[in-house]
Amino acid sequence: MLIESRPATDPEIAALVIAQQRELREADGGLDGQVFVPHDDVRYLAVVVNGRAVACGGLQALDAETGEVKRMYVRPAYRGRGIGRQLLAALEECAFRQGHSVVCLETGTYLPAAVALYTACGYQRIPVYGEYVGNPYSVCFAKRLPVAA
């Protein structure tokens, strides 16, 4: 397994995000307002197994202190192997290297596995923020990163 940086325009990242969006539509009953628009300011990581990207996640700076995890997704056939946990740790490391002291994220209340992963990785629930305010299905989390010694 390899975790590597990829541009938002990478075809494998795009395919993973499309798969994520399709799965989200099935899970949330087709809620509106969940369309992915690639942003140049999101740094994507891909998890590569046997030459194929099987998971992705992005990191976007909200401000100098805070990075936001975006578009975490692991293909169903690769779940349960710890890939999501390793990808999240790699995104946290990226945030730390970019000078962020906090990482936050949003997920849906209808995604209990995602909520369990973030909670198990030390994320604490926070009030809904930004574009997620007013979405009754949004739940937000944050984690303070360790200070460099």
Side-chain angles (χ1 to χ4, degrees), residues 29-113:
L31 293 173
D32 292 333
Q34 300 288 326
V35 177
F36 171 70
V37 178
H39 294 276
D40 293 337
D41 61 342
V42 177
R43 178 176 177 192
Y44 281 93
L45 297 181
V47 176
V48 180
V49 176
N50 297 325
R52 179 177 181 227
V54 300
C56 70
L59 181 71
Q60 182 176 30
L62 293 183
D63 56 41
E65 179 180 304
T66 311
E68 182 181 22
V69 171
K70 307 288 276 184
R71 303 297 170 204
M72 278 276 297
Y73 182 73
V74 179
R75 288 196 182 276
Y78 292 87
R79 293 179 187 162
R81 303 180 188 188
I83 289 174
R85 187 178 295 264
Q86 291 178 56
L87 177 57
L88 187 57
L91 288 164
E92 291 170 3
E93 178 63 28
C94 286
F96 180 79
R97 284 196 314 262
Q98 291 177 15
H100 300 302
S101 58
V102 175
V103 175
C104 63
L105 58 90
E106 180 271 348
T107 191
T109 56
Y110 50 85
L111 298 171

